[in-house]
Amino acid sequence: MARIAIVTGGTRGIGKAICLALKEDGHTVVANYGGNDDAAKRFSDDTGIPAVKFDVGDHQSVLDGCKQVASEHGYVDIVVNNAGITRDGTLHKMSWDDWNEVMRINLGGCFNMAKACFPGMRERGWGRIVNIGSINGQAGQYGQVNYAAAKSGIHGFTKALAQEGARSGVTVNAIAPGYIDTDMVAAVPPQVLEKIVAKIPVGRLGQAEEIARGVRFLVSDEAGFVTGSTMSINGGQHMY
C-alpha cells in the first residue's frame, strides 16, 4: 500500500538512497533538507521528489514543515530520521556549541519529528518511524563524544517510543550503519580511512543503498511485528 513518507536529510547520501528506494516502492516521498538550496533543487530535478526546507532541530520549524507536507500530500505515515551532522573533536577541544548543535539536530530532530507525526499515526492506527543511528553510538569513537552520545540516545529513544506506539500499529525502529561510502566518510583522511576499512570483516565500505534496503523492510506492512529493534548494517565491524 502506498504511503506518505518524509525522509529528513533526504537530498544527499544515505537520505537520497532512502528516498529513491521508498519512491520505487510506490510511496509518495518528501525529502527534508536544512540548508543547501542548490543541492536540493538538483535532487528534485533529478528524482522528481519534492524537497521541503526546515531545520529539524527547531521544534516550531518542524511542526510547521510537517503541517505543510500534510496539507500538500496527505497525512504522514512514514518518518525516516536521517538528518545528522558532525562537529568532531576531543572533549578538551570541544566547545559547548559543538556539543549542543550535534545534540540539537541529531537527537533533537528525532524528538521534534515524532512530536509532529507520531500522534496522528496512533490515531490512524498505522505508522512507521525509522531512526538512523550509528555504529559509533553503539561502540563509541575517539573524538566524537557529542556524536556518539546523540546516536546512542537515538537507540534509547527508539526503544522507549516503540513501547508507546506498539498497540496502535505504530512501529519504531533504528538502523545503525557502519562506515558508508558517502561524502561524510570521503572527508576522512585516506590514511585514516584505510585503517577503518582494515577493521571491517567484509573488507569494504558499505553502500547507501544497503541502508535503504533495511529501511524498505522496516517501513513495510510485513515488518509489523518488528519494533524497538536496532538493525546493525556494518559489515561485521561491531557485532552488538
Side-chain angles (χ1 to χ4, degrees):
M1 180 178 177
R3 308 283 186 176
I4 311 299
I6 296 181
V7 180
T8 69
T11 61
R12 295 185 294 172
I14 291 173
K16 179 179 179 179
I18 293 169
C19 284
L20 291 172
L22 296 183
K23 181 183 179 183
E24 188 175 290
D25 286 347
H27 301 300
T28 297
V29 182
V30 178
N32 151 266
Y33 72 104
N36 193 327
D37 295 324
D38 291 337
K41 185 178 186 305
R42 286 195 301 272
F43 165 85
S44 292
D45 290 345
D46 291 344
T47 65
I49 297 171
V52 58
K53 184 177 183 179
F54 58 84
D55 177 2
V56 297
D58 181 276
H59 189 69
Q60 190 59 51
S61 180
V62 170
L63 296 179
D64 293 342
C66 290
K67 184 177 180 179
Q68 175 188 338
V69 171
S71 67
E72 294 177 358
H73 303 281
Y75 293 119
V76 176
D77 306 300
I78 297 168
V79 170
V80 182
N81 286 309
N82 169 73
I85 63 168
T86 57
R87 295 287 186 272
D88 293 351
T90 54
L91 181 66
H92 73 283
K93 293 182 179 179
M94 185 176 291
S95 69
W96 163 250
D97 286 341
D98 291 337
W99 167 270
N100 192 55
E101 192 67 359
V102 169
M103 297 297 287
R104 185 183 76 85
I105 292 175
N106 296 17
L107 182 56
C110 291
F111 173 83
N112 292 333
M113 289 297 297
K115 285 291 286 185
C117 301
F118 184 73
M121 292 177 180
R122 289 184 66 190
E123 289 173 9
R124 294 187 298 275
W126 197 95
R128 297 286 187 266
I129 296 177
V130 180
N131 302 313
I132 305 300
S134 171
I135 187 175
N136 292 345
Q138 297 172 317
Q141 178 60 45
Y142 183 90
Q144 283 196 327
V145 294
N146 49 3
Y147 186 82
K151 292 297 188 176
S152 182
I154 285 173
H155 298 154
F157 174 88
T158 296
K159 293 177 186 298
L161 189 61
Q163 296 179 50
E164 297 184 28
R167 290 189 179 274
S168 301
V170 181
T171 69
V172 186
N173 292 287
I175 291 179
Y179 285 86
I180 308 300
D181 191 7
T182 62
D183 291 343
M184 184 183 292
V185 171
V188 175
Q191 65 274 19
V192 176
L193 189 58
E194 185 177 332
K195 292 178 181 179
I196 290 171
V197 173
K199 294 180 180 179
I200 302 174
V202 302
R204 64 172 176 84
L205 296 173
Q207 299 297 312
E209 291 76 15
E210 293 176 295
I211 307 304
R213 285 195 286 271
V215 173
R216 290 173 94 159
F217 169 68
L218 291 174
V219 305
S220 68
D221 288 328
E222 289 78 5
F225 199 58
V226 181
T227 195
S229 295
T230 296
M231 180 186 294
S232 295
I233 305 178
N234 60 35
Q237 186 177 0
H238 182 66
M239 300 182 186
Y240 180 71

